[in-house]
Amino acid sequence: MLFQPFTFKNGQTAKNRFFKSAMEEQLAKHNRPTEQLVRLYDTWAKGGAGVLVTGNVMVADNGKGSINDVVLTDDRSMDTLKAWAKAGKQNDTLLIMQINHAGKQSPKVLSPTPVAPSAVALQGMDGFINPPRELAAGEIEELVGRFIETARLAEQAGFSGVQIHGAHGYLISQFLSPHHNRRNDKWGGSLENRMRFLVEIYQGIRAAVGSEFLVGLKLNSADFQKGGFDENDSIRVVQKMSELGIDFIEISGGNYESPEMLTAKESTKKREAFFLDYAEKARAVSQVPLIITGGFRSEAAMNEALQSGHLDFIGIARPFALMPDLPDKIRQGTYQTITTNRIKTGVAAVDNKIGAVLEMDWYMAQMALIGKGKQPNPNLSPWKVLLKNLWENGKAGLSTGRS
């Protein structure tokens, strides 16, 4: 089933079921796309995936979550954007731009006072991320427009579609969560109000782009946080977005305070598909094309998940940073199940404190190698990555890597 084509309702066809999920590349310069990004996606497109999703492209200058994010608010970088789109669409590949705003998940070096639905501070981020201020109603409307404009520019550049990032604790995810969103106006309170920001972004984009341009969503199955966005809420959002006509939904989970996307129980790891149980529940209320990302490593597990009928694509992220031609290897029968071991320095005090960030930085370093036309290096020293990050970004760099 992995190599069966899939045609979306708008007529666009993915040549197979491999969905390269978003990873933060951190290859922008002055927050604009670069030739390294073009080369990275050129490599991935030639590697056989049906769908490639970019890392976060931020819709506003005050929405950056990392130092070297791409920020797309105007057409100044249109030539490079077009080159990026052309490279990523080679070999009959669909290239989706993930669009996002970090909200309060923005380090203080970038946002002295980050913005959020409500002035609720992130726990455990003291010294890295400052408490946010609450967005005014007019600012919320303006941000809806920012998402729409970024999507319009992506279409102009030639991308196949956009993915609205509503997961991992970023701004849309913050609006969806009753823990983070404590507003008492039309943007908060009931789930209907909390999802209004997402709904208006989607409807605005849909009205601004052509019918063949894909508009999808990345959504948490849950925040895994007391009083937060839970599975029941998530299923209701899936149902609502399905009714509105969203083109696809990718499922993940967690946020900075509870990073489920970075960790999983051993039993879940063995099964590989982190969110398969949730997918079955989502399928009961929606027939929108569904992707789950997290844990897939073996060809057998990928095929088994597709055969279950609960999902339509296999979401894979980190293995693509080590094996850019993973789909082609499976198609050719030369694939050996990739292992992605924890990246550790071996010093417990370091690994316990910044292990998750170091791991993301290590994978970003692999993508940087590919972007320079080199091969990934599975033996790359974590210490080398750590020291390079500290040299270039100081302590702030330890808080700015993201998934």
Side-chain angles (χ1 to χ4, degrees):
M1 290 189 68
L2 282 167
F3 293 94
Q4 288 183 356
F6 182 93
T7 300
F8 293 91
K9 65 180 181 181
N10 70 353
Q12 291 225 54
T13 298
K15 65 184 177 184
N16 59 44
R17 306 306 178 91
F18 291 98
F19 184 99
K20 198 289 293 179
S21 187
M23 290 181 285
E24 183 68 13
E25 308 101 350
Q26 285 294 281
L27 295 177
K29 187 174 183 179
H30 305 304
N31 301 122
R32 297 172 71 176
T34 62
E35 288 302 316
Q36 269 190 274
L37 272 172
V38 174
R39 195 176 293 112
L40 173 63
Y41 281 81
D42 173 88
T43 303
W44 275 332
K46 291 173 179 175
V51 182
L52 299 175
V53 184
T54 73
N56 287 300
V57 172
M58 296 311 194
V59 305
D61 286 325
N62 74 346
K64 291 184 287 190
S66 295
I67 293 170
N68 294 315
D69 280 339
V70 174
V71 179
L72 180 55
T73 58
D74 55 44
D75 62 1
R76 283 179 297 171
S77 299
M78 189 53 64
D79 288 346
T80 309
L81 285 166
K82 287 181 176 179
W84 188 3
K86 182 179 179 180
K89 289 170 64 178
Q90 292 179 97
N91 202 17
D92 296 322
T93 308
L94 297 179
L95 179 63
I96 307 295
M97 179 187 289
Q98 185 181 80
I99 57 177
N100 193 14
H101 188 294
K104 62 185 168 186
Q105 286 190 167
S106 182
K108 67 180 183 180
V109 68
L110 299 176
S111 301
T113 307
V115 297
S118 302
V120 179
L122 291 171
Q123 300 301 308
M125 302 292 166
D126 297 346
F128 288 123
I129 296 178
N130 286 340
R133 67 168 178 84
E134 181 173 299
L135 285 160
E139 291 178 303
I140 297 172
E141 298 283 2
E142 181 182 348
L143 284 171
V144 171
R146 295 282 188 179
F147 275 91
I148 296 168
E149 177 63 5
T150 299
R152 189 191 67 78
L153 290 165
E155 182 183 37
Q156 182 183 340
F159 285 76
S160 308
V162 293
Q163 181 187 58
I164 303 165
H165 198 338
H168 296 175
Y170 298 117
L171 186 60
I172 294 173
S173 179
Q174 291 161 30
F175 268 93
L176 291 170
S177 166
H179 171 74
H180 295 290
N181 182 351
R182 304 181 188 182
R183 303 178 70 93
N184 55 16
D185 59 7
K186 71 175 185 178
W187 304 102
S190 67
L191 179 59
E192 180 181 4
N193 282 355
R194 285 184 278 120
M195 74 168 84
R196 188 183 305 275
F197 186 54
L198 168 61
V199 167
E200 291 202 5
I201 287 169
Y202 168 69
Q203 291 180 319
I205 292 174
R206 190 74 277 169
V209 299
S211 60
E212 292 187 0
F213 191 71
L214 292 164
V215 184
L217 170 67
K218 187 163 190 168
L219 183 71
N220 274 358
S221 63
D223 290 348
F224 307 103
Q225 182 176 44
K226 186 177 181 180
F229 184 71
D230 62 21
E231 188 176 276
N232 290 331
D233 284 348
S234 183
I235 293 293
R236 288 173 62 192
V237 173
V238 168
Q239 188 170 12
K240 175 68 173 180
M241 298 307 292
S242 175
E243 292 168 357
L244 292 175
I246 197 87
D247 288 312
F248 64 87
I249 298 176
E250 179 189 2
I251 299 302
S252 190
N255 56 35
Y256 274 20
E257 295 170 299
S258 182
E260 186 70 12
M261 68 276 197
L262 302 178
T263 60
K265 296 176 181 177
E266 284 305 315
S267 59
T268 304
K269 287 180 181 178
K270 288 177 182 178
R271 189 183 60 186
E272 297 189 29
F274 287 3
F275 303 104
L276 193 57
D277 292 341
Y278 172 95
E280 182 176 2
K281 298 172 185 175
R283 193 60 116 193
V285 302
S286 168
Q287 291 303 307
V288 165
L290 195 65
I291 304 104
I292 61 173
T293 298
F296 288 112
R297 298 295 181 266
S298 71
E299 180 181 357
M302 296 175 200
N303 273 310
E304 185 179 341
L306 286 171
Q307 290 165 0
S308 74
H310 302 325
L311 65 157
D312 301 287
F313 290 87
I314 300 298
I316 302 172
R318 291 179 177 183
F320 272 101
L322 295 174
M323 191 181 291
D325 59 345
L326 185 152
D328 275 355
K329 278 186 163 57
I330 291 179
R331 182 175 56 83
Q332 295 162 0
T334 60
Y335 176 68
Q336 293 184 344
T337 299
I338 192 168
T339 56
T340 50
N341 297 320
R342 282 310 209 195
I343 306 303
K344 296 180 179 181
T345 64
V347 178
V350 174
D351 295 332
N352 292 339
K353 183 146 183 86
I354 61 165
V357 172
L358 175 60
E359 188 151 329
M360 286 186 279
D361 285 344
W362 190 86
Y363 281 97
M364 285 190 283
Q366 302 293 346
M367 289 183 274
L369 288 171
I370 300 170
K372 292 175 181 176
K374 300 178 180 180
Q375 292 295 316
N377 178 11
N379 298 315
L380 180 63
S381 166
W383 282 109
K384 184 176 180 179
V385 173
L386 175 59
L387 293 172
K388 182 176 184 290
N389 191 344
L390 287 170
W391 175 261
E392 293 179 351
N393 304 313
K395 290 183 179 179
L398 300 181
S399 67
T400 58
R402 304 195 314 291
S403 173

